[in-house]
Amino acid sequence: MFIYRAALQRRPFGFPAAAAVVLFVLVFGLSQILNRLLGIGRTSA
């Protein structure tokens, strides 16, 4: 919601774009950590 409001209320899109990249990195990192902890995607040998 923050990124959406920042993009619509502010003309320069630099700050909302940077916030979106940070959000993407956080979600990607969290998903990688959960995949490793839960063993999702591993094949049994």
Side-chain angles (χ1 to χ4, degrees):
M1 211 54 195
F2 168 75
I3 297 169
Y4 178 74
R5 285 186 186 160
L8 290 181
Q9 292 176 355
R10 301 176 187 206
R11 286 294 168 194
F13 287 101
F15 182 73
V21 169
V22 169
L23 179 63
F24 172 78
V25 169
L26 288 174
V27 170
F28 182 77
L30 181 62
S31 66
Q32 291 300 312
I33 291 169
L34 288 174
N35 282 340
R36 289 177 194 255
L37 289 176
L38 298 176
I40 297 172
R42 292 187 190 162
T43 57
S44 299

mmCIF file of all heavy atoms in Angstrom:
data_model
loop_
_atom_site.group_PDB
_atom_site.id
_atom_site.type_symbol
_atom_site.label_atom_id
_atom_site.label_comp_id
_atom_site.label_asym_id
_atom_site.label_seq_id
_atom_site.Cartn_x
_atom_site.Cartn_y
_atom_site.Cartn_z
ATOM 1 N N MET A 1 0.822 -1.178 0.000
ATOM 2 C CA MET A 1 0.000 0.000 0.000
ATOM 3 C C MET A 1 0.874 1.253 0.000
ATOM 4 O O MET A 1 0.529 2.249 -0.618
ATOM 5 C CB MET A 1 -0.873 -0.060 1.253
ATOM 6 C CG MET A 1 -2.195 0.563 1.140
ATOM 7 S SD MET A 1 -3.126 -0.062 -0.242
ATOM 8 C CE MET A 1 -4.344 1.163 -0.291
ATOM 9 N N PHE A 2 1.982 1.203 0.734
ATOM 10 C CA PHE A 2 2.888 2.344 0.798
ATOM 11 C C PHE A 2 3.444 2.686 -0.580
ATOM 12 O O PHE A 2 3.490 3.858 -0.962
ATOM 13 C CB PHE A 2 4.032 2.027 1.766
ATOM 14 C CG PHE A 2 5.156 3.006 1.684
ATOM 15 C CD1 PHE A 2 5.014 4.262 2.238
ATOM 16 C CD2 PHE A 2 6.341 2.686 1.054
ATOM 17 C CE1 PHE A 2 6.037 5.183 2.156
ATOM 18 C CE2 PHE A 2 7.361 3.592 0.967
ATOM 19 C CZ PHE A 2 7.214 4.844 1.534
ATOM 20 N N ILE A 3 3.861 1.672 -1.323
ATOM 21 C CA ILE A 3 4.437 1.900 -2.648
ATOM 22 C C ILE A 3 3.371 2.474 -3.580
ATOM 23 O O ILE A 3 3.641 3.396 -4.347
ATOM 24 C CB ILE A 3 5.034 0.603 -3.210
ATOM 25 C CG1 ILE A 3 6.184 0.139 -2.328
ATOM 26 C CG2 ILE A 3 5.505 0.779 -4.641
ATOM 27 C CD1 ILE A 3 6.667 -1.253 -2.638
ATOM 28 N N TYR A 4 2.171 1.960 -3.504
ATOM 29 C CA TYR A 4 1.074 2.435 -4.347
ATOM 30 C C TYR A 4 0.785 3.908 -4.075
ATOM 31 O O TYR A 4 0.674 4.716 -4.993
ATOM 32 C CB TYR A 4 -0.157 1.576 -4.087
ATOM 33 C CG TYR A 4 -1.373 1.981 -4.867
ATOM 34 C CD1 TYR A 4 -1.469 1.715 -6.222
ATOM 35 C CD2 TYR A 4 -2.433 2.628 -4.239
ATOM 36 C CE1 TYR A 4 -2.594 2.088 -6.941
ATOM 37 C CE2 TYR A 4 -3.559 3.006 -4.945
ATOM 38 C CZ TYR A 4 -3.631 2.732 -6.292
ATOM 39 O OH TYR A 4 -4.733 3.096 -7.002
ATOM 40 N N ARG A 5 0.666 4.279 -2.803
ATOM 41 C CA ARG A 5 0.384 5.672 -2.454
ATOM 42 C C ARG A 5 1.542 6.592 -2.830
ATOM 43 O O ARG A 5 1.323 7.696 -3.323
ATOM 44 C CB ARG A 5 0.107 5.784 -0.962
ATOM 45 C CG ARG A 5 -1.244 5.275 -0.583
ATOM 46 C CD ARG A 5 -1.535 5.539 0.870
ATOM 47 N NE ARG A 5 -2.773 4.914 1.241
ATOM 48 C CZ ARG A 5 -3.110 4.638 2.481
ATOM 49 N NH1 ARG A 5 -2.299 4.934 3.463
ATOM 50 N NH2 ARG A 5 -4.256 4.062 2.749
ATOM 51 N N ALA A 6 2.762 6.137 -2.581
ATOM 52 C CA ALA A 6 3.919 6.974 -2.902
ATOM 53 C C ALA A 6 4.020 7.209 -4.399
ATOM 54 O O ALA A 6 4.392 8.288 -4.846
ATOM 55 C CB ALA A 6 5.192 6.318 -2.377
ATOM 56 N N ALA A 7 3.681 6.209 -5.186
ATOM 57 C CA ALA A 7 3.767 6.355 -6.639
ATOM 58 C C ALA A 7 2.689 7.287 -7.179
ATOM 59 O O ALA A 7 2.920 8.012 -8.143
ATOM 60 C CB ALA A 7 3.657 4.983 -7.303
ATOM 61 N N LEU A 8 1.516 7.290 -6.573
ATOM 62 C CA LEU A 8 0.431 8.129 -7.069
ATOM 63 C C LEU A 8 0.485 9.558 -6.534
ATOM 64 O O LEU A 8 0.045 10.483 -7.212
ATOM 65 C CB LEU A 8 -0.917 7.505 -6.720
ATOM 66 C CG LEU A 8 -1.251 6.223 -7.483
ATOM 67 C CD1 LEU A 8 -2.616 5.710 -7.061
ATOM 68 C CD2 LEU A 8 -1.226 6.450 -8.976
ATOM 69 N N GLN A 9 1.012 9.745 -5.340
ATOM 70 C CA GLN A 9 1.018 11.069 -4.741
ATOM 71 C C GLN A 9 2.258 11.876 -5.102
ATOM 72 O O GLN A 9 2.250 13.090 -5.014
ATOM 73 C CB GLN A 9 0.900 10.960 -3.224
ATOM 74 C CG GLN A 9 -0.461 10.451 -2.787
ATOM 75 C CD GLN A 9 -0.547 10.255 -1.288
ATOM 76 O OE1 GLN A 9 0.426 10.416 -0.570
ATOM 77 N NE2 GLN A 9 -1.721 9.876 -0.820
ATOM 78 N N ARG A 10 3.323 11.206 -5.481
ATOM 79 C CA ARG A 10 4.564 11.903 -5.801
ATOM 80 C C ARG A 10 4.837 11.776 -7.283
ATOM 81 O O ARG A 10 4.659 10.724 -7.873
ATOM 82 C CB ARG A 10 5.730 11.301 -5.021
ATOM 83 C CG ARG A 10 5.528 11.361 -3.530
ATOM 84 C CD ARG A 10 6.659 10.665 -2.845
ATOM 85 N NE ARG A 10 6.377 10.573 -1.410
ATOM 86 C CZ ARG A 10 7.294 10.477 -0.492
ATOM 87 N NH1 ARG A 10 8.556 10.450 -0.831
ATOM 88 N NH2 ARG A 10 6.961 10.398 0.773
ATOM 89 N N ARG A 11 5.307 12.832 -7.891
ATOM 90 C CA ARG A 11 5.604 12.804 -9.321
ATOM 91 C C ARG A 11 6.879 12.023 -9.635
ATOM 92 O O ARG A 11 6.887 11.222 -10.536
ATOM 93 C CB ARG A 11 5.689 14.232 -9.881
ATOM 94 C CG ARG A 11 4.345 14.863 -10.002
ATOM 95 C CD ARG A 11 3.526 14.149 -11.044
ATOM 96 N NE ARG A 11 2.139 14.592 -10.959
ATOM 97 C CZ ARG A 11 1.162 13.963 -11.539
ATOM 98 N NH1 ARG A 11 1.371 12.886 -12.249
ATOM 99 N NH2 ARG A 11 -0.068 14.398 -11.421
ATOM 100 N N PRO A 12 7.994 12.253 -8.931
ATOM 101 C CA PRO A 12 9.181 11.460 -9.259
ATOM 102 C C PRO A 12 8.991 10.013 -8.797
ATOM 103 O O PRO A 12 8.570 9.761 -7.673
ATOM 104 C CB PRO A 12 10.316 12.134 -8.486
ATOM 105 C CG PRO A 12 9.685 13.035 -7.507
ATOM 106 C CD PRO A 12 8.263 13.276 -7.932
ATOM 107 N N PHE A 13 9.251 9.088 -9.681
ATOM 108 C CA PHE A 13 9.018 7.681 -9.370
ATOM 109 C C PHE A 13 10.252 6.989 -8.812
ATOM 110 O O PHE A 13 10.253 5.779 -8.643
ATOM 111 C CB PHE A 13 8.534 6.945 -10.617
ATOM 112 C CG PHE A 13 7.118 7.279 -10.977
ATOM 113 C CD1 PHE A 13 6.856 8.182 -11.990
ATOM 114 C CD2 PHE A 13 6.069 6.713 -10.296
ATOM 115 C CE1 PHE A 13 5.559 8.511 -12.316
ATOM 116 C CE2 PHE A 13 4.759 7.037 -10.612
ATOM 117 C CZ PHE A 13 4.511 7.938 -11.628
ATOM 118 N N GLY A 14 11.307 7.733 -8.533
ATOM 119 C CA GLY A 14 12.535 7.130 -8.019
ATOM 120 C C GLY A 14 12.343 6.469 -6.669
ATOM 121 O O GLY A 14 12.756 5.333 -6.444
ATOM 122 N N PHE A 15 11.723 7.174 -5.740
ATOM 123 C CA PHE A 15 11.540 6.631 -4.395
ATOM 124 C C PHE A 15 10.598 5.427 -4.375
ATOM 125 O O PHE A 15 10.934 4.395 -3.786
ATOM 126 C CB PHE A 15 11.047 7.723 -3.451
ATOM 127 C CG PHE A 15 10.878 7.257 -2.038
ATOM 128 C CD1 PHE A 15 11.983 7.016 -1.242
ATOM 129 C CD2 PHE A 15 9.622 7.053 -1.514
ATOM 130 C CE1 PHE A 15 11.836 6.566 0.060
ATOM 131 C CE2 PHE A 15 9.459 6.614 -0.222
ATOM 132 C CZ PHE A 15 10.572 6.371 0.574
ATOM 133 N N PRO A 16 9.435 5.494 -5.016
ATOM 134 C CA PRO A 16 8.568 4.315 -5.040
ATOM 135 C C PRO A 16 9.217 3.126 -5.767
ATOM 136 O O PRO A 16 9.021 1.977 -5.377
ATOM 137 C CB PRO A 16 7.320 4.785 -5.774
ATOM 138 C CG PRO A 16 7.305 6.249 -5.618
ATOM 139 C CD PRO A 16 8.734 6.664 -5.561
ATOM 140 N N ALA A 17 9.994 3.408 -6.804
ATOM 141 C CA ALA A 17 10.673 2.322 -7.516
ATOM 142 C C ALA A 17 11.701 1.654 -6.611
ATOM 143 O O ALA A 17 11.823 0.426 -6.589
ATOM 144 C CB ALA A 17 11.333 2.842 -8.776
ATOM 145 N N ALA A 18 12.439 2.449 -5.860
ATOM 146 C CA ALA A 18 13.422 1.896 -4.932
ATOM 147 C C ALA A 18 12.737 1.087 -3.831
ATOM 148 O O ALA A 18 13.221 0.013 -3.439
ATOM 149 C CB ALA A 18 14.253 3.015 -4.322
ATOM 150 N N ALA A 19 11.600 1.569 -3.350
ATOM 151 C CA ALA A 19 10.859 0.840 -2.318
ATOM 152 C C ALA A 19 10.344 -0.485 -2.869
ATOM 153 O O ALA A 19 10.337 -1.504 -2.160
ATOM 154 C CB ALA A 19 9.705 1.685 -1.802
ATOM 155 N N ALA A 20 9.934 -0.501 -4.125
ATOM 156 C CA ALA A 20 9.463 -1.747 -4.739
ATOM 157 C C ALA A 20 10.600 -2.742 -4.879
ATOM 158 O O ALA A 20 10.409 -3.950 -4.660
ATOM 159 C CB ALA A 20 8.839 -1.456 -6.098
ATOM 160 N N VAL A 21 11.786 -2.267 -5.218
ATOM 161 C CA VAL A 21 12.942 -3.167 -5.333
ATOM 162 C C VAL A 21 13.298 -3.742 -3.969
ATOM 163 O O VAL A 21 13.578 -4.941 -3.843
ATOM 164 C CB VAL A 21 14.148 -2.424 -5.955
ATOM 165 C CG1 VAL A 21 15.418 -3.245 -5.842
ATOM 166 C CG2 VAL A 21 13.858 -2.074 -7.403
ATOM 167 N N VAL A 22 13.274 -2.918 -2.939
ATOM 168 C CA VAL A 22 13.566 -3.403 -1.579
ATOM 169 C C VAL A 22 12.531 -4.438 -1.162
ATOM 170 O O VAL A 22 12.879 -5.485 -0.585
ATOM 171 C CB VAL A 22 13.607 -2.226 -0.579
ATOM 172 C CG1 VAL A 22 13.643 -2.719 0.855
ATOM 173 C CG2 VAL A 22 14.801 -1.338 -0.876
ATOM 174 N N LEU A 23 11.262 -4.190 -1.452
ATOM 175 C CA LEU A 23 10.217 -5.156 -1.122
ATOM 176 C C LEU A 23 10.441 -6.468 -1.857
ATOM 177 O O LEU A 23 10.309 -7.544 -1.270
ATOM 178 C CB LEU A 23 8.847 -4.583 -1.469
ATOM 179 C CG LEU A 23 7.655 -5.496 -1.207
ATOM 180 C CD1 LEU A 23 7.528 -5.812 0.277
ATOM 181 C CD2 LEU A 23 6.384 -4.864 -1.733
ATOM 182 N N PHE A 24 10.809 -6.399 -3.141
ATOM 183 C CA PHE A 24 11.072 -7.607 -3.916
ATOM 184 C C PHE A 24 12.227 -8.395 -3.308
ATOM 185 O O PHE A 24 12.146 -9.620 -3.158
ATOM 186 C CB PHE A 24 11.388 -7.252 -5.372
ATOM 187 C CG PHE A 24 11.842 -8.433 -6.173
ATOM 188 C CD1 PHE A 24 10.938 -9.358 -6.636
ATOM 189 C CD2 PHE A 24 13.191 -8.626 -6.434
ATOM 190 C CE1 PHE A 24 11.355 -10.463 -7.365
ATOM 191 C CE2 PHE A 24 13.625 -9.723 -7.157
ATOM 192 C CZ PHE A 24 12.704 -10.638 -7.624
ATOM 193 N N VAL A 25 13.303 -7.711 -2.940
ATOM 194 C CA VAL A 25 14.470 -8.387 -2.364
ATOM 195 C C VAL A 25 14.097 -9.047 -1.037
ATOM 196 O O VAL A 25 14.513 -10.188 -0.768
ATOM 197 C CB VAL A 25 15.633 -7.396 -2.200
ATOM 198 C CG1 VAL A 25 16.758 -7.989 -1.367
ATOM 199 C CG2 VAL A 25 16.159 -6.968 -3.567
ATOM 200 N N LEU A 26 13.304 -8.375 -0.220
ATOM 201 C CA LEU A 26 12.886 -8.965 1.056
ATOM 202 C C LEU A 26 12.028 -10.207 0.853
ATOM 203 O O LEU A 26 12.237 -11.234 1.510
ATOM 204 C CB LEU A 26 12.117 -7.937 1.884
ATOM 205 C CG LEU A 26 12.943 -6.820 2.489
ATOM 206 C CD1 LEU A 26 12.037 -5.800 3.157
ATOM 207 C CD2 LEU A 26 13.949 -7.367 3.481
ATOM 208 N N VAL A 27 11.073 -10.140 -0.053
ATOM 209 C CA VAL A 27 10.195 -11.292 -0.307
ATOM 210 C C VAL A 27 10.994 -12.442 -0.913
ATOM 211 O O VAL A 27 10.824 -13.599 -0.523
ATOM 212 C CB VAL A 27 9.017 -10.885 -1.215
ATOM 213 C CG1 VAL A 27 8.248 -12.101 -1.695
ATOM 214 C CG2 VAL A 27 8.105 -9.935 -0.480
ATOM 215 N N PHE A 28 11.883 -12.127 -1.852
ATOM 216 C CA PHE A 28 12.704 -13.162 -2.475
ATOM 217 C C PHE A 28 13.612 -13.826 -1.440
ATOM 218 O O PHE A 28 13.714 -15.056 -1.393
ATOM 219 C CB PHE A 28 13.542 -12.558 -3.608
ATOM 220 C CG PHE A 28 14.379 -13.558 -4.326
ATOM 221 C CD1 PHE A 28 13.813 -14.419 -5.248
ATOM 222 C CD2 PHE A 28 15.742 -13.653 -4.078
ATOM 223 C CE1 PHE A 28 14.583 -15.353 -5.918
ATOM 224 C CE2 PHE A 28 16.517 -14.579 -4.736
ATOM 225 C CZ PHE A 28 15.949 -15.439 -5.658
ATOM 226 N N GLY A 29 14.256 -13.026 -0.617
ATOM 227 C CA GLY A 29 15.142 -13.575 0.414
ATOM 228 C C GLY A 29 14.389 -14.433 1.416
ATOM 229 O O GLY A 29 14.856 -15.513 1.805
ATOM 230 N N LEU A 30 13.224 -13.975 1.840
ATOM 231 C CA LEU A 30 12.415 -14.749 2.785
ATOM 232 C C LEU A 30 11.978 -16.067 2.166
ATOM 233 O O LEU A 30 12.015 -17.118 2.824
ATOM 234 C CB LEU A 30 11.195 -13.945 3.223
ATOM 235 C CG LEU A 30 10.275 -14.614 4.228
ATOM 236 C CD1 LEU A 30 11.014 -14.883 5.528
ATOM 237 C CD2 LEU A 30 9.053 -13.756 4.468
ATOM 238 N N SER A 31 11.599 -16.054 0.904
ATOM 239 C CA SER A 31 11.184 -17.297 0.257
ATOM 240 C C SER A 31 12.358 -18.267 0.115
ATOM 241 O O SER A 31 12.184 -19.483 0.271
ATOM 242 C CB SER A 31 10.555 -17.022 -1.110
ATOM 243 O OG SER A 31 11.527 -16.503 -1.999
ATOM 244 N N GLN A 32 13.554 -17.746 -0.144
ATOM 245 C CA GLN A 32 14.728 -18.614 -0.243
ATOM 246 C C GLN A 32 15.054 -19.249 1.107
ATOM 247 O O GLN A 32 15.380 -20.437 1.185
ATOM 248 C CB GLN A 32 15.942 -17.821 -0.754
ATOM 249 C CG GLN A 32 15.825 -17.394 -2.185
ATOM 250 C CD GLN A 32 15.685 -18.571 -3.128
ATOM 251 O OE1 GLN A 32 16.435 -19.537 -3.060
ATOM 252 N NE2 GLN A 32 14.691 -18.507 -3.991
ATOM 253 N N ILE A 33 14.958 -18.462 2.170
ATOM 254 C CA ILE A 33 15.214 -18.993 3.514
ATOM 255 C C ILE A 33 14.193 -20.068 3.863
ATOM 256 O O ILE A 33 14.549 -21.140 4.373
ATOM 257 C CB ILE A 33 15.189 -17.850 4.544
ATOM 258 C CG1 ILE A 33 16.408 -16.947 4.342
ATOM 259 C CG2 ILE A 33 15.157 -18.390 5.963
ATOM 260 C CD1 ILE A 33 16.351 -15.659 5.126
ATOM 261 N N LEU A 34 12.925 -19.815 3.582
ATOM 262 C CA LEU A 34 11.896 -20.807 3.891
ATOM 263 C C LEU A 34 12.062 -22.071 3.054
ATOM 264 O O LEU A 34 11.847 -23.183 3.557
ATOM 265 C CB LEU A 34 10.502 -20.213 3.679
ATOM 266 C CG LEU A 34 10.079 -19.189 4.723
ATOM 267 C CD1 LEU A 34 8.748 -18.568 4.343
ATOM 268 C CD2 LEU A 34 10.001 -19.824 6.095
ATOM 269 N N ASN A 35 12.445 -21.929 1.790
ATOM 270 C CA ASN A 35 12.676 -23.099 0.951
ATOM 271 C C ASN A 35 13.800 -23.956 1.509
ATOM 272 O O ASN A 35 13.715 -25.181 1.513
ATOM 273 C CB ASN A 35 12.999 -22.685 -0.485
ATOM 274 C CG ASN A 35 11.775 -22.288 -1.257
ATOM 275 O OD1 ASN A 35 10.665 -22.637 -0.891
ATOM 276 N ND2 ASN A 35 11.978 -21.545 -2.321
ATOM 277 N N ARG A 36 14.858 -23.322 1.980
ATOM 278 C CA ARG A 36 15.973 -24.088 2.541
ATOM 279 C C ARG A 36 15.596 -24.750 3.860
ATOM 280 O O ARG A 36 15.972 -25.887 4.122
ATOM 281 C CB ARG A 36 17.184 -23.195 2.726
ATOM 282 C CG ARG A 36 17.818 -22.786 1.426
ATOM 283 C CD ARG A 36 18.975 -21.851 1.644
ATOM 284 N NE ARG A 36 19.358 -21.224 0.392
ATOM 285 C CZ ARG A 36 20.442 -21.567 -0.289
ATOM 286 N NH1 ARG A 36 21.227 -22.511 0.157
ATOM 287 N NH2 ARG A 36 20.727 -20.952 -1.422
ATOM 288 N N LEU A 37 14.864 -24.037 4.701
ATOM 289 C CA LEU A 37 14.481 -24.596 5.994
ATOM 290 C C LEU A 37 13.481 -25.734 5.855
ATOM 291 O O LEU A 37 13.564 -26.737 6.575
ATOM 292 C CB LEU A 37 13.888 -23.502 6.889
ATOM 293 C CG LEU A 37 14.861 -22.471 7.427
ATOM 294 C CD1 LEU A 37 14.100 -21.410 8.218
ATOM 295 C CD2 LEU A 37 15.909 -23.118 8.312
ATOM 296 N N LEU A 38 12.533 -25.592 4.948
ATOM 297 C CA LEU A 38 11.484 -26.592 4.800
ATOM 298 C C LEU A 38 11.860 -27.691 3.806
ATOM 299 O O LEU A 38 11.139 -28.685 3.702
ATOM 300 C CB LEU A 38 10.169 -25.921 4.362
ATOM 301 C CG LEU A 38 9.615 -24.909 5.366
ATOM 302 C CD1 LEU A 38 8.378 -24.243 4.786
ATOM 303 C CD2 LEU A 38 9.305 -25.560 6.691
ATOM 304 N N GLY A 39 12.925 -27.496 3.067
ATOM 305 C CA GLY A 39 13.368 -28.513 2.125
ATOM 306 C C GLY A 39 12.505 -28.605 0.886
ATOM 307 O O GLY A 39 12.433 -29.661 0.263
ATOM 308 N N ILE A 40 11.859 -27.526 0.513
ATOM 309 C CA ILE A 40 10.999 -27.542 -0.664
ATOM 310 C C ILE A 40 11.872 -27.547 -1.909
ATOM 311 O O ILE A 40 12.823 -26.790 -2.018
ATOM 312 C CB ILE A 40 10.074 -26.316 -0.672
ATOM 313 C CG1 ILE A 40 9.146 -26.376 0.542
ATOM 314 C CG2 ILE A 40 9.265 -26.224 -1.968
ATOM 315 C CD1 ILE A 40 8.336 -25.136 0.749
ATOM 316 N N GLY A 41 11.563 -28.419 -2.850
ATOM 317 C CA GLY A 41 12.296 -28.470 -4.101
ATOM 318 C C GLY A 41 13.461 -29.436 -4.086
ATOM 319 O O GLY A 41 14.129 -29.600 -5.103
ATOM 320 N N ARG A 42 13.706 -30.073 -2.981
ATOM 321 C CA ARG A 42 14.800 -31.042 -2.925
ATOM 322 C C ARG A 42 14.308 -32.388 -3.424
ATOM 323 O O ARG A 42 13.164 -32.777 -3.207
ATOM 324 C CB ARG A 42 15.305 -31.212 -1.503
ATOM 325 C CG ARG A 42 16.003 -30.006 -0.969
ATOM 326 C CD ARG A 42 16.603 -30.310 0.360
ATOM 327 N NE ARG A 42 17.066 -29.076 0.984
ATOM 328 C CZ ARG A 42 17.329 -28.956 2.262
ATOM 329 N NH1 ARG A 42 17.158 -29.987 3.075
ATOM 330 N NH2 ARG A 42 17.755 -27.816 2.744
ATOM 331 N N THR A 43 15.191 -33.089 -4.083
ATOM 332 C CA THR A 43 14.852 -34.433 -4.535
ATOM 333 C C THR A 43 15.535 -35.441 -3.628
ATOM 334 O O THR A 43 16.663 -35.243 -3.174
ATOM 335 C CB THR A 43 15.338 -34.652 -5.980
ATOM 336 O OG1 THR A 43 16.734 -34.428 -6.044
ATOM 337 C CG2 THR A 43 14.622 -33.699 -6.930
ATOM 338 N N SER A 44 14.838 -36.504 -3.340
ATOM 339 C CA SER A 44 15.406 -37.569 -2.494
ATOM 340 C C SER A 44 16.264 -38.475 -3.348
ATOM 341 O O SER A 44 15.838 -38.966 -4.389
ATOM 342 C CB SER A 44 14.291 -38.375 -1.846
ATOM 343 O OG SER A 44 13.504 -37.545 -1.031
ATOM 344 N N ALA A 45 17.486 -38.686 -2.886
ATOM 345 C CA ALA A 45 18.406 -39.539 -3.661
ATOM 346 C C ALA A 45 18.535 -40.899 -3.027
ATOM 347 O O ALA A 45 18.381 -41.136 -1.904
ATOM 348 C CB ALA A 45 19.757 -38.871 -3.767
#
